Amino acid sequence: MSVSGERRTAGSPSDKQLWSRARSGDPSAFGELFTRHSQTIYSFCFRLTASWKTAEDLTTIVFLEAWRRRDQTSVDSAMLVPWLLGIASQVAQNSARAVRRHRHLLSKLPPAVVNDDHDESASAARRDAERQMKEILRVFHRLPKREQEVLALCVWGERTPAEAAIALGITVGTARSRLARAHGHLSRLLAGTSPSITVRRDARLRSPTQEAS
């Protein structure tokens, strides 16, 4: 599988139409959904793991899980990506176990990659992004888990509190409350860190991961 940043073009089926076809067992419709949304899931998984390789595996796992759950899940166009991000949050919580569980299937699929670029400068940039993201996660993981979940979805996943609430199965008010607490806790935690970490927070906590891809 190849992670793509492609979006819907004029005249193409909506996510709702594709998901309806996928639920009926149409693999080509599901493949189109992967093409549209895999980059978003990949970026989100990288931020949760600080590993490009793990993010590649987890992106594939998210879509394998979505395919497996398709019969039990009916979502509209607006809620498909929040639902996928919710699955990503679940599998990323124990990424090693998720990879082990799906290892047999993963071995049968081509790896999910963003750009198969072997340029040394690109490789160095990817390594640097991993190193910097690990620093961010050391602070991020000091937040309560419930706050981590909603902050990741709203900031890294670029979801609204309402969408995060759907992904997490909580009320909108709860999502907003957790998000506010998370921002407050994070500000206090970052106040005691070095300026370099604060700069990296601004670069990677508030915007989607596109760098080094």
Side-chain angles (χ1 to χ4, degrees):
M1 291 187 180
S2 179
V3 174
S4 170
E6 182 178 327
R7 294 293 182 264
R8 181 185 175 190
T9 57
S12 62
S14 66
D15 282 357
K16 184 175 183 179
Q17 291 170 321
L18 289 172
W19 183 245
S20 177
R21 286 164 46 192
R23 292 189 72 202
S24 299
D26 182 351
S28 65
F30 191 78
E32 175 62 23
L33 290 171
F34 181 90
T35 298
R36 287 184 185 180
H37 302 302
S38 57
Q39 179 66 60
T40 297
I41 304 305
Y42 177 86
S43 295
F44 186 66
C45 288
F46 171 72
R47 291 177 181 280
L48 293 175
T49 63
S51 166
W52 298 109
K53 179 62 175 69
T54 301
E56 290 168 10
D57 289 340
L58 292 184
T59 298
T60 302
I61 289 170
V62 167
F63 283 90
L64 287 172
E65 282 293 302
W67 177 258
R68 184 179 66 82
R69 301 181 195 180
R70 70 191 186 283
D71 291 338
Q72 306 126 26
T73 307
S74 178
V75 294
D76 61 28
S77 295
M79 291 301 105
L80 180 62
V81 174
W83 179 64
L84 291 171
L85 290 170
I87 296 176
S89 293
Q90 294 167 15
V91 299
Q93 285 179 15
N94 194 328
S95 58
R97 181 191 300 173
V99 171
R100 284 197 304 270
R101 178 185 172 193
H102 292 83
R103 184 169 291 155
H104 179 67
L105 285 173
L106 289 171
S107 68
K108 295 179 179 295
L109 296 170
V113 295
V114 175
N115 287 321
D116 191 14
D117 187 348
H118 297 289
D119 180 78
E120 182 57 33
S121 62
S123 297
R126 285 166 66 85
R127 289 193 297 270
D128 186 58
E130 287 186 335
R131 179 180 58 77
Q132 293 182 17
M133 197 67 222
K134 286 176 183 176
E135 291 186 22
I136 295 295
L137 288 179
R138 273 195 286 271
V139 178
F140 179 77
H141 286 158
R142 293 171 64 186
L143 298 173
K145 185 167 289 293
R146 290 181 176 182
E147 293 178 14
Q148 290 179 32
E149 291 173 340
V150 71
L151 185 68
L153 286 165
C154 290
V155 179
W156 293 338
E158 295 192 296
R159 299 300 106 185
T160 65
E163 291 172 328
I166 290 173
L168 296 172
I170 58 179
T171 67
V172 177
T174 298
R176 288 189 178 125
S177 177
R178 290 181 186 176
L179 182 62
R181 289 199 300 270
H183 278 301
H185 287 161
L186 190 64
S187 294
R188 289 191 290 275
L189 288 171
L190 287 170
T193 63
S194 68
S196 62
I197 294 179
T198 303
V199 169
R200 291 182 188 120
R201 184 279 306 268
D202 293 337
R204 290 191 167 78
L205 188 59
R206 295 181 178 175
S207 61
T209 301
Q210 299 297 336
E211 63 275 9
S213 59

